[in-house]
Amino acid sequence: AILPNTEAYRPQYHFTPPEKWMNDPNGLVYHQGIYHLFYQYYPDDIVWGPMHWGHATSKDLLHWEHKPIALFPDKNGYIFSGSAVIDTENTSGFGTKENPPLVAIFTYHDIDGEKAGKTDFQTQGIAYSLDNGETFTVYEGNPVIGNYGIKDFRDPKVFWNEKASNWTMLLVAGDHLQIWQSDTLISWKKVSEFGKNQGAHGGVWECPDLFPLKVAGEAKEKWVLLISINPGAPNGGSGTQYFIGDFDGTTFTSTQEEDRWLDWGTDNYAGVTYNNTPDGKRIFIGWMSNWSYARDTPTEKWRSAMTIPRELSLEKINEQYELINYPITGLKKVLKSSNSFKANPIYSVAGLNISQSEIVFTTASRDFELSFTNQKEDRLKLLFDGANKQVVLDRATSGKTDFQEDFAKENQLMPIKNLPEGAVEVRILMDWSSIEVFINKGQYVMTSQIFPNEHYTNLNFHQKGEEPVEVKKLEIREIES
Ligand code: FRU
């Protein structure tokens, strides 16, 4: 296994902290052969507390090395979510051009200010590293952006803006996005806003990200804005919406009218993308949990995992732009060669470690149920409901569910209204306490935590409509051990 398989529910090929509480991915940046993953971390308990930045590094985004804690709470407050850049030209003056600083940009949360009922307790700070993230120096002039009375003012995502030749920061301010700019990473100026009257507003806006993507098969490029919101997700609690639009270097605009969601499952939140990837790919990682029950899930030593890293792309399907998210191609390295089931139709498979595997099949059927079972009578159900053009995930009988009332309450619904006709690929990743479903190569995605009483070993297709289920090319790859 790529991680020792010792504790109940510990994923094998998804990132988890060695112990204690984790939430959002932070500071995603690639530098000198290394992908950094910093994360919201509380080293003293398995519930949220004074936030630090935990740290791990990887060469392939799948095998991670745990590193010492990178950032600790200081006199300005807890260290909330943020990003990291490589200051190649040494605009900040923290390093040299020969050894450019890795600069972390984050939110300070002043807990005393919050407790005193103030509204200005979130500010933005920076810290830098001259040894590729091994150690950090906190900037003595922090905060670099103060607060002028906005209660929720956080989660800076900074990137090098080629159109304006400056550093550009995205910040959320309660119900909207603010864009700030700087030549030095130290002194910042606000230049625009977006979103007060657009998108979903069932909760506070958090963890913004903005980047260009080429539209597949076209010369055109569009900009994609990610905004996490909590609560207000389509299946309750936390979720990530996106906007497709244009960015002129200063202002983001979008004509999008309906709300769009990157993932329809309950458990993909606060996800953002890497800066500086070597191959120009846009790689996303999300926190595989939901604030509705994140503190209550039945693990003991650590809490929560990250999604599988996913590559984002943009496609026009039936005249509509769609944001696609699909596992990185390197994933095949951690999977064993496949068990192929070529007979058609295939109704059931038994005796494999389905709970830690990848399952891929192609089907033109739109009415069937796929169920996962084990010897403990747990059952997880994925229903393709053609009449209502939706896919439904039902985890109510999938082992432990009663640790929090919202967890098993409702089926998770994913509309598949814009799915092309004919055969589509269904790809499922399972890693003991999670299931990630990718339909049509990442057009429709559903990520969900599950806590079965033992590993699922069986998989069954059941006919639901008039037509028999037709499953082609079923392949199951257990993970490499
Ligand atoms: C998102 C979030 C961020 C904040 C962090 C605190 O999950 O609420 O907005 O910076 O978590 O841990």
Side-chain angles (χ1 to χ4, degrees), residues 39-94:
Y39 51 90
Q40 288 287 278
Y41 189 47
Y42 182 42
D44 294 333
D45 204 343
I46 56 165
V47 292
W48 191 89
M51 283 288 112
H52 300 54
W53 274 27
H55 187 203
T57 58
S58 174
K59 292 196 164 79
D60 62 4
L61 294 163
L62 294 164
H63 299 82
W64 295 97
E65 189 183 325
H66 294 297
K67 293 285 186 177
I69 292 174
L71 295 171
F72 295 78
D74 65 37
K75 64 179 188 317
N76 287 303
Y78 299 173
I79 313 292
F80 270 23
S81 285
S83 52
V85 297
I86 307 304
D87 182 12
T88 316
E89 297 297 316
N90 193 31
T91 61
S92 61
F94 294 147

Side-chain angles (χ1 to χ4, degrees), residues 37-38 71 331 413-414:
L37 167 61
F38 299 92
L71 295 171
L331 181 61
L413 308 183
M414 169 161 69

Side-chain angles (χ1 to χ4, degrees), residues 107-213:
T107 295
Y108 274 121
H109 183 92
D110 169 17
I111 194 76
D112 298 329
E114 182 184 18
K115 283 188 182 146
K118 293 186 177 165
T119 54
D120 60 355
F121 51 83
Q122 291 185 341
T123 59
Q124 320 309 320
I126 60 179
Y128 60 92
S129 169
L130 298 176
D131 52 10
N132 200 6
E134 293 288 319
T135 56
F136 280 86
T137 304
V138 175
Y139 175 57
E140 70 215 359
N142 277 340
V144 292
I145 298 182
N147 189 308
Y148 46 98
I150 306 180
K151 196 160 109 0
D152 297 294
F153 185 53
R154 58 178 177 265
D155 305 343
K157 168 73 192 235
V158 176
F159 62 96
W160 177 253
N161 178 341
E162 277 171 19
K163 289 193 173 176
S165 281
N166 63 25
W167 296 108
T168 290
M169 180 195 289
L170 314 162
L171 265 179
V172 281
D175 63 351
H176 68 281
L177 171 82
Q178 299 190 347
I179 298 184
W180 292 63
Q181 295 187 332
S182 173
D183 292 327
T184 58
L185 291 165
I186 295 167
S187 99
W188 293 89
K189 192 171 122 218
K190 187 176 136 194
V191 296
S192 68
E193 291 189 350
F194 171 83
K196 277 191 181 136
N197 304 309
Q198 270 177 282
H201 282 280
V204 176
W205 282 25
E206 299 185 319
C207 302
D209 200 355
L210 176 68
F211 44 84
L213 285 177

Side-chain angles (χ1 to χ4, degrees), residues 255-405:
T255 55
Q256 183 177 304
E257 280 169 10
E258 74 286 15
D259 299 341
R260 312 285 293 275
W261 301 95
L262 174 125
D263 193 310
W264 291 87
T266 45
D267 297 285
N268 182 354
Y269 193 61
V272 285
T273 67
Y274 269 88
N275 277 329
N276 286 34
T277 51
D279 44 16
K281 288 186 173 166
R282 188 51 62 176
I283 309 293
F284 168 98
I285 295 179
W287 172 46
M288 206 150 44
S289 198
N290 189 310
W291 282 115
S292 299
Y293 47 71
R295 300 163 186 85
D296 309 305
T297 54
T299 57
E300 279 164 16
K301 194 177 163 200
W302 92 100
R303 265 226 180 90
S304 78
M306 295 299 179
T307 65
I308 204 74
R310 303 173 185 181
E311 184 176 348
L312 302 185
S313 59
L314 209 54
E315 274 181 42
K316 214 172 197 179
I317 300 174
N318 300 329
E319 291 308 301
Q320 185 173 315
Y321 291 117
E322 300 261 6
L323 180 62
I324 308 294
N325 71 102
Y326 198 59
I328 53 166
T329 53
L331 181 61
K332 58 178 177 296
K333 280 199 305 196
V334 301
L335 300 167
K336 284 188 203 165
S337 59
S338 105
N339 294 286
S340 275
F341 301 88
K342 291 232 169 66
N344 181 39
I346 306 143
Y347 291 120
S348 60
V349 171
L352 290 179
N353 183 7
I354 303 281
S355 265
Q356 288 175 329
S357 75
E358 176 196 63
I359 301 142
V360 189
F361 59 91
T362 310
T363 185
S365 303
R366 295 291 187 269
D367 281 295
F368 63 95
E369 184 181 294
L370 173 57
S371 65
F372 301 84
T373 55
N374 58 19
Q375 304 304 310
K376 293 257 165 87
E377 295 187 4
D378 298 335
R379 179 181 287 266
L380 174 68
K381 295 182 265 186
L382 189 67
L383 177 72
F384 283 69
D385 170 5
N388 294 308
K389 289 201 175 231
Q390 64 184 12
V391 170
V392 181
L393 182 72
D394 177 358
R395 63 183 174 188
T397 54
S398 177
K400 293 199 173 59
T401 60
D402 62 359
F403 48 85
Q404 200 276 344
E405 56 179 12

